[in-house]
Amino acid sequence: MSNRVVCREASHAGSWYTASGPQLNAQLEGWLSQVQSTKRPARAIIAPHAGYTYCGSCAAHAYKQVDPSITRRIFILGPSHHVPLSRCALSSVDIYRTPLYDLRIDQKKTDEDEHSIEMHLPYTAKAMESHKDEFTIIPVLVGALSESKEQEFGKLFSKYLADPSNLFVVSSDFCHWGQRFRYSYYDESQGEIYRSIEHLDKMGMSIIEQLDPVSFSNYLKKYHNTICGRHPIGVLLNAITELQKNGMNMSFSFLNYAQSSQCRNWQDSSVSYAAGALTVH
């Protein structure tokens, strides 16, 4: 057995976000400086994982709520886009490289190409830079879980969510609309297509704010909204439900919503982004 340290390179640096540390730092600072911290300290956040030109400013609304002075362990729950998974998988690497600084992994199979986790690493590094040697991250790839598995993993993670020194980052974009995503739900009563998409997303967001995993599942079954992080969100909602049974009082608020473009006809396509934070009272 070798004691070699295994590093995961920042495979999307230079494409989905800049590979230049100073430039990335300036961009993240710019986005964060435009946002209020109202829900601090967040115990969990939901934030998008697209290219930063599309969702960087939206994600800032979630990351601004992170308190680096109390956070010692960061669980990043991302959906699996490339590996067929029906459970959750932990990473086998020790270090995640980012253009800002290297992040230490807490626990010992994930895919080099999985952007749902990678896109959160520079923001995590930035939000935590004042305490950069004092925290570790636990990247968790969340597979296509059944409702009962979401419940099971929710229970499992609930004891970590109960600890104020832990932060959960739930990685999800919202509606992927258009022919290339094979999804074209349109409620004409809402007006333009992009308004229908916003109405559909906000319906789902308000169910998440009600912290109700069953209603969220029912909403997905009814509308099939293409929320790629639905399983990580389902796990979080089930973890919250478990803690509420034990008398913990929590609330979740979405702080920003954006779309990559405004769809007006059937040839158009867009991805929606939402950022929010869970606080414990």
Side-chain angles (χ1 to χ4, degrees), residues 37-105:
S37 54
T38 50
K39 300 287 169 192
R40 242 175 148 180
R43 186 69 57 88
I45 59 174
I46 292 176
H49 55 240
Y52 282 6
T53 46
Y54 296 106
C55 75
S57 63
C58 174
H61 289 263
Y63 277 95
K64 188 78 170 199
Q65 317 312 324
V66 173
D67 184 348
S69 70
I70 60 168
T71 304
R72 292 297 163 262
R73 211 181 288 112
I74 300 173
F75 291 80
I76 303 177
L77 273 55
S80 176
H81 289 84
H82 303 286
V83 183
L85 257 190
S86 60
R87 306 183 60 76
C88 289
L90 294 169
S91 179
S92 57
V93 301
D94 305 296
I95 301 279
Y96 266 170
R97 295 209 183 286
T98 82
L100 302 181
Y101 59 90
D102 292 348
L103 297 170
R104 283 182 302 137
I105 308 275

Side-chain angles (χ1 to χ4, degrees), residues 50-244:
Y52 282 6
T53 46
Y54 296 106
C55 75
S57 63
C58 174
H61 289 263
Y63 277 95
K64 188 78 170 199
Q65 317 312 324
V66 173
D67 184 348
S69 70
I70 60 168
T71 304
R72 292 297 163 262
R73 211 181 288 112
I74 300 173
F75 291 80
I76 303 177
L77 273 55
S80 176
H81 289 84
H82 303 286
V83 183
L85 257 190
S86 60
R87 306 183 60 76
C88 289
L90 294 169
S91 179
S92 57
V93 301
D94 305 296
I95 301 279
Y96 266 170
R97 295 209 183 286
T98 82
L100 302 181
Y101 59 90
D102 292 348
L103 297 170
R104 283 182 302 137
I105 308 275
D106 192 332
Q107 274 167 320
K108 300 292 175 210
K109 187 142 38 257
T110 56
D111 175 20
E112 186 77 6
D113 199 41
E114 188 46 73
H115 65 279
S116 76
I117 287 173
E118 182 185 336
M119 297 311 294
H120 288 281
L121 303 175
Y123 249 122
T124 297
K126 182 64 188 161
M128 294 298 295
E129 68 182 347
S130 60
H131 291 71
K132 66 164 127 186
D133 298 321
E134 297 167 34
F135 74 97
T136 51
I137 62 170
I138 301 167
V140 182
L141 210 49
V142 179
L145 306 180
S146 63
E147 280 173 66
S148 63
K149 278 266 183 285
E150 283 181 7
Q151 221 174 342
E152 205 179 295
F153 281 109
K155 265 188 184 145
L156 182 74
F157 285 118
S158 67
K159 56 178 176 288
Y160 300 103
L161 186 63
D163 181 345
S165 68
N166 290 335
L167 169 73
F168 277 73
V169 173
V170 173
S171 176
S172 186
D173 297 334
F174 274 70
C175 185
H176 296 61
W177 194 93
Q179 287 164 6
R180 69 194 183 102
F181 299 118
R182 297 189 190 84
Y183 186 74
S184 52
Y185 171 86
Y186 179 30
D187 174 359
E188 291 178 23
S189 72
Q190 297 303 320
E192 296 269 24
I193 292 172
Y194 70 89
R195 295 238 181 252
S196 162
I197 295 169
E198 179 171 359
H199 182 256
L200 176 69
D201 279 331
K202 291 198 165 166
M203 215 190 303
M205 288 157 67
S206 87
I207 290 168
I208 293 168
E209 288 181 333
Q210 290 158 27
L211 304 178
D212 183 347
V214 176
S215 298
F216 186 58
S217 287
N218 291 341
Y219 158 83
L220 292 169
K221 281 178 200 152
K222 183 172 180 185
Y223 297 102
H224 304 283
N225 193 0
T226 43
I227 300 172
C228 52
R230 57 191 171 274
H231 296 298
I233 293 170
V235 169
L236 176 69
L237 292 176
N238 277 288
I240 291 166
T241 300
E242 191 61 26
L243 294 180
Q244 284 176 324

